Amino acid sequence: RKEVEQDPGPFNVPEGATVAFNCTYSNSASQSFFWYRQDCRKEPKLLMSVYSSGNEDGRFTAQLNRASQYISLLIRDSKLSDSATYLCVVNPMDSSYKLIFGSGTRLLVRP
Amino acid sequence: NAGVTQTPKFQVLKTGQSMTLQCAQDMNHNSMYWYRQDPGMGLRLIYYSASEGTTDKGEVPNGYNVSRLNKREFSLRLESAAPSQTSVYFCATPPRGPSTDTQYFGPGTRLTVL
């Protein structure tokens, strides 16, 4: 089983739609969680951190369910510019300082 | 403030050739990382350096060596390139500020081995 699993998609949605991505992680001791965005042929960029209480940044809402080891990202009112790959990232906060990346969910927003 | 810089941006090698990928950061953090990204595989950690003078293997270290030259620079060397090393390579370090639980990436090096 992969340490971080995501549905690869692609999710193909019209502009204005609401879309949700899910991610599960296997290490119950993981402490920090993030969503990164990666555009085609570019580096991953931090989109938002995921706090246990859930957090919102404009059209984006992230939630964490520690009991189910599950992270979600909700995008409301999708824009064409939201088309990208969204990476779920977990930091187990062990001594190795490593991040564990999911393989990403691809989103295509059509006019 | 350049953040994280990587050179070269693109490279084509023949099987058996060697090369060094360079990475430099001005985030003033101790830890630096090298990842490779292949289609459908996500980012996989090759090597990391928790601080100047230390390096450790990640998930996929075979075929690579690293050097932590100083606090700013962390290089990745392919001694004898193989087609399986065709990939996009990213260097990373924590972003500016006190937080070390996330990472900021360089623009990547796209390597093709023929």
Side-chain angles (χ1 to χ4, degrees):
Chain A
R1 181 187 172 190
K2 289 183 181 178
E3 291 188 74
V4 178
E5 293 203 67
Q6 297 181 248
D7 181 341
F11 285 63
N12 191 325
V13 303
E15 269 188 295
T18 295
V19 62
F21 306 138
N22 301 320
C23 167
T24 58
Y25 61 96
S26 61
N27 184 347
S28 60
S30 298
Q31 296 295 317
S32 297
F33 308 89
F34 310 94
W35 284 100
Y36 275 70
R37 170 192 170 127
Q38 186 172 25
D39 293 293
C40 187
R41 302 182 69 78
K42 298 285 189 180
E43 72 272 24
K45 294 183 179 178
L46 179 65
L47 178 65
M48 58 196 306
S49 302
V50 186
Y51 305 122
S52 56
S53 57
N55 51 303
E56 187 173 315
D57 183 3
R59 297 181 293 108
F60 298 84
T61 300
Q63 293 203 312
L64 168 65
N65 183 322
R66 285 189 186 271
S68 301
Q69 294 179 208
Y70 165 100
I71 306 157
S72 65
L73 177 68
L74 182 76
I75 305 176
R76 290 181 298 278
D77 189 22
S78 298
K79 310 293 184 189
L80 295 176
S81 57
D82 294 333
S83 296
T85 297
Y86 291 84
L87 306 175
C88 175
V89 184
V90 174
N91 187 333
M93 298 297 279
D94 59 20
S95 59
S96 69
Y97 308 94
K98 291 184 287 189
L99 292 182
I100 311 297
F101 287 80
S103 52
T105 299
R106 191 169 173 212
L107 172 65
L108 302 172
V109 181
R110 64 181 186 270
Chain B
N1 292 330
V4 179
T5 58
Q6 291 185 237
T7 56
K9 286 187 168 51
F10 302 93
Q11 184 71 51
V12 178
L13 294 178
K14 294 181 180 178
T15 296
Q17 288 184 315
S18 62
M19 77 162 295
T20 299
L21 283 66
Q22 306 286 355
C23 174
Q25 55 99 357
D26 62 2
M27 303 294 201
N28 200 35
H29 277 287
N30 287 318
S31 54
M32 296 182 74
Y33 309 82
W34 276 106
Y35 294 88
R36 61 177 288 173
Q37 187 175 34
D38 304 293
M41 299 292 289
L43 282 97
R44 293 182 292 168
L45 184 65
I46 305 171
Y47 269 94
Y48 67 100
S49 171
S51 61
E52 186 178 349
T54 68
T55 61
D56 286 283
K57 294 178 181 179
E59 184 184 354
V60 288
N62 291 345
Y64 305 95
N65 286 301
V66 289
S67 295
R68 183 72 185 269
L69 305 170
N70 48 54
K71 187 172 184 177
R72 291 188 64 248
E73 297 173 291
F74 187 34
S75 62
L76 178 72
R77 183 161 177 83
L78 287 70
E79 291 290 352
S80 179
S84 61
Q85 294 178 304
T86 294
S87 189
V88 182
Y89 292 86
F90 291 104
C91 177
T93 193
R96 286 191 186 85
S99 172
T100 58
D101 63 350
T102 186
Q103 290 172 21
Y104 181 92
F105 287 82
T109 294
R110 283 161 181 77
L111 175 66
T112 300
V113 183
L114 303 175

